Amino acid sequence: LITLFLVAVMAPAIATADWVEESNANTLMVMEAQAQMAPENFSSLGIESVDAEVMDLGPNLYERSQASSRELIATLEERKKTTENPRVLQDLDILIKSLNDQIRTNELEYKYMLPYFNLSQSLYFGFRSLLDPRNDPARFPAALERLKKYTGQADGHQPLTDLARERSSERFAVPGLLGPYQGELEKDLGNVEQFKAGLNKVFTESGLEGWEEDLALLTGQLDNYAEWVKQEIVPRGRDDYRLPEEIYADNLKNYGVDMDPRQLIRMAQLGFADLQMQMQSISAGIAKDRGWKSADYRDVMAELGKERIPEAEVLDYYRNILKELETIIRDNELVTLPDREAAIRLATEAESAAAPVPFLSPPQLIGNTGQQGEFVLVTHSPTEEDGGEVSDFGSPASTWSLTAHEARPGHEMQFASMVESGISQARVIYAFNSANVEGWGLYSEAIMQQYLSPEAQLFGLKARLMRAARAFLDPMLNLGLIGTEEAMELITRDVGLSKTLATQEINRYTFRAPGQATSYYYGYMNLMSLRAEVELRMRDRFNQRAYHDFLLKQGLLPPDILRQAVLTEF
C-alpha cells in the first residue's frame, strides 16, 4: 500500500519533470545558437560557459543573424512533428514565435535605422551582471578574459569599439536611413563618465587583480569612440523622435501589447478619467481629516509629498514597510510568502544614471544556487545639473505601492517563483515580455490597495494613474497626436510627478524605449479581466491565495496560454 501510494503521489511530479527536461533541451539548442552572437545576455542569465565570450559585431552581422534564426525555426518545426506532450508543444511555439519576432524586428531595423551602439552602457551592465556579488566568485576571472577581448588584445579579436564603428559606417551610404534621435545621443554621451566610473567600481569591489591596465585601455577606447560618435553619428542624428509606424507597432508587439495603438489610447484615457474620480473621493476625506482648505487630489498629493523620509533613513524605512506588507499578506491570505527575507539596497551611481527610477534586479534565472532578486532604490539622477533628486519616492505615503510592486507580492516574488518552481526555461526566458512582468507588478499594487491607509491608497492610485497616462501618452507622442510640452504638463500637473521623473518619462516614450511604458497598464488590464472571468465562474469557491500561487507558478506565459491554463487547470 505504501509503495502504491508513493507511486500515485510521485507520478505527476515525475511526468512534469520529464516534460520540463524535454522542453529545456529544445530551449538549450536555441540559447546555444544565440549565445554565439550575444554571449553577455546569456551569461547574465546564468550560463557560465559563455562568461568569457563577447558580443559578435563582425561583418555580415545582419545576414548571419537572420540565417541562424531561420535554421533554428526549421529545426523546431521538425521537432513539433514528433512531440506529443502538449506543454512541450506550447514551449516549442513560444520559441518559434520569439525567433519569428526577432527576424521581423531585425528586418525593420535594417530597413529603416542606422546602426548605433551605446557601448559604455552595454559594457557596464555586462560586467555589473558578471561581477554581481550574488554570483559565485569562481565566475569572476572570466571578466579578465572579456576585458582583453573587448580591447583587442586577445588573439583573434579586434577592439569592440573598432567593430562598432565599422558596423555603423558601412551603412552611412544607404539612402534614407534614420540616425538616432539627438536627445538620445545627448543623454548617452552625457552618461559616459558615469559608466566609466561604474566599471572601475565593479572591478575594484570584485577582488580581482591585474585588471587596471586593461580597463584603462578599454575606457580610453570608449572615450575615443564617444568622440567618433560626436563627429560621425551626431551629424546624422534625427531631430524628430518619432519612429516609423511599422517600427513602433513592432515595439508594442515585442513588449507584449497586442492592441492597435489608437484603441489602446481610448482604453487608457477612460481608465485615467475613472482613476481621477477615485482619487478625488479619497482626497476629500483626507483634506477634511487634516483641515486642509483644498480637497483637490492634486493639492492633497502635493501636501502629502512635503512629508519626507530623512535620506539616511530611507533604506530602513522601506524595509519596515515591506515587513508591514508581509503581515497584511499573511493575515488576509493573499499569496503564499517565501520563508526568506526579500533583499533591498540602494542603487549605484551608474545604475541611477542609466535609469533613475527604482527597479528589481532579477536573480540568476538559470543554474540558480540561491541568488535572490534585489529591490533597488534610486534616490537621485546623478547626470542632472542639480543632482536630480527623485523626490517622488521619498514621502511615507508613496512607499507602500512601490514596495508592493517591486518586492512583495510583486516582482521579487514573481522571479523567485520562476526560479524555485521548476518552470521550463522557454516560459522563463522566451515568453518574457514587459506586459507579462509589469502587469503582475501593477496587479500586485491593486490587490494590496484596500488594506492601506487613505494616504497610501491615494498614492497607490497615483501610481496606477501614471501607468494609464503612459498607455495613452506614449502612443500619442509617437503618432504625433500630442507634443512633449503638453505631455509634460499633464504628467506634472494631473499625475503629480516631479520635474525630474516627468522628464525621464518623456525620455522613455520618445527615445529610451518607445512602446514599453504602455505594457504596465495593458498587462494589468489583462490580469484583472482574467480574474473577473475566474471569479464569475467560481463564485464562492474562488480562493485568491490559491489563484495567485497558481499564476506565479506558470512563469511568463503569453495571455492566451495563461488564460487556457487558468480555465482548464485552476
Side-chain angles (χ1 to χ4, degrees), residues 43-111:
S43 169
S44 69
L45 294 173
I47 300 180
E48 299 179 19
S49 60
V50 295
D51 280 349
E53 304 306 319
V54 299
M55 67 182 78
D56 181 352
L57 292 185
N60 303 313
L61 179 61
Y62 169 74
E63 292 81 3
R64 290 186 290 111
S65 174
Q66 297 294 79
S68 175
S69 293
R70 291 190 173 98
E71 288 173 9
L72 288 168
I73 290 171
T75 301
L76 294 171
E77 290 287 2
E78 285 299 313
R79 292 190 180 188
K80 284 181 66 176
K81 296 175 183 178
T82 57
T83 299
E84 296 180 358
N85 190 292
R87 293 189 178 184
V88 179
L89 283 169
Q90 283 181 340
D91 285 2
L92 283 167
D93 285 335
I94 287 171
L95 294 171
I96 291 168
K97 181 182 183 302
S98 175
L99 289 164
N100 276 320
D101 287 348
Q102 187 60 59
I103 287 172
R104 176 59 175 164
T105 297
N106 289 346
E107 287 174 347
L108 292 172
E109 293 284 341
Y110 193 76
K111 175 182 177 181

Side-chain angles (χ1 to χ4, degrees), residues 227-461:
E227 286 302 315
W228 179 83
V229 169
K230 292 176 185 176
Q231 295 171 14
E232 298 292 344
I233 300 295
V234 170
R236 292 175 169 86
R238 67 185 195 278
D239 295 326
D240 188 350
Y241 56 79
R242 289 179 297 173
L243 292 168
E245 284 202 32
E246 275 189 292
I247 286 189
Y248 183 70
D250 186 66
N251 282 2
L252 289 178
K253 178 194 69 179
N254 288 336
Y255 288 126
V257 180
D258 187 19
M259 182 178 283
D260 176 81
R262 289 168 179 82
Q263 183 183 357
L264 179 64
I265 290 168
R266 290 192 295 272
M267 178 189 75
Q269 286 177 333
L270 176 61
F272 188 87
D274 180 62
L275 286 164
Q276 283 183 303
M277 287 189 286
Q278 294 181 51
M279 293 171 73
Q280 193 57 54
S281 177
I282 293 176
S283 294
I286 294 172
K288 181 178 179 181
D289 290 344
R290 298 196 175 213
W292 290 342
K293 185 175 181 180
S294 174
D296 185 277
Y297 80 86
R298 302 166 186 82
D299 296 331
V300 172
M301 287 197 306
E303 287 298 320
L304 291 173
K306 294 176 182 178
E307 300 171 359
R308 311 296 297 164
I309 306 166
E311 187 172 353
E313 300 173 13
V314 166
L315 192 56
D316 286 339
Y317 194 95
Y318 270 90
R319 286 171 173 159
N320 289 330
I321 291 296
L322 176 58
K323 290 178 182 178
E324 293 192 45
L325 287 173
E326 289 176 329
T327 298
I328 292 170
I329 291 169
R330 290 190 188 93
D331 290 348
N332 296 280
E333 299 184 338
L334 299 181
V335 66
T336 302
L337 287 170
D339 292 332
R340 50 174 172 68
E341 293 185 2
I344 307 178
R345 68 172 173 86
L346 295 175
T348 66
E349 291 292 288
E351 287 172 328
S352 299
V357 289
F359 62 94
L360 182 91
S361 175
Q364 182 174 313
L365 295 178
I366 297 176
N368 188 291
T369 56
Q371 295 90 340
Q372 294 180 230
E374 295 176 327
F375 171 21
V376 183
L377 286 166
V378 177
T379 58
H380 69 288
S381 177
T383 55
E384 299 290 331
E385 291 182 4
D386 59 355
E389 181 193 5
V390 183
S391 59
D392 304 76
F393 313 111
S395 63
S398 68
T399 60
W400 296 85
S401 59
L402 176 61
T403 307
H405 184 107
E406 300 294 350
R408 295 180 177 175
H411 293 325
E412 188 270 346
M413 283 193 61
Q414 183 181 37
F415 280 90
S417 179
M418 286 190 284
V419 169
E420 296 164 5
S421 298
I423 297 168
S424 68
Q425 291 170 359
R427 297 174 189 231
V428 172
I429 297 164
Y430 288 92
F432 186 107
N433 64 49
S434 193
N436 294 345
V437 175
E438 298 300 350
W440 174 259
L442 191 51
Y443 176 85
S444 296
E445 296 179 35
I447 63 175
M448 301 301 299
Q449 179 84 9
Q450 63 179 299
Y451 306 106
L452 307 181
S453 69
E455 291 80 3
Q457 287 189 31
L458 180 62
F459 271 73
L461 290 173

Side-chain angles (χ1 to χ4, degrees), residues 505-522:
E505 287 291 320
I506 298 297
N507 290 348
R508 181 193 291 223
Y509 312 154
T510 55
F511 64 86
R512 277 302 184 210
Q516 188 274 340
T518 66
S519 63
Y520 295 73
Y521 196 69
Y522 180 81

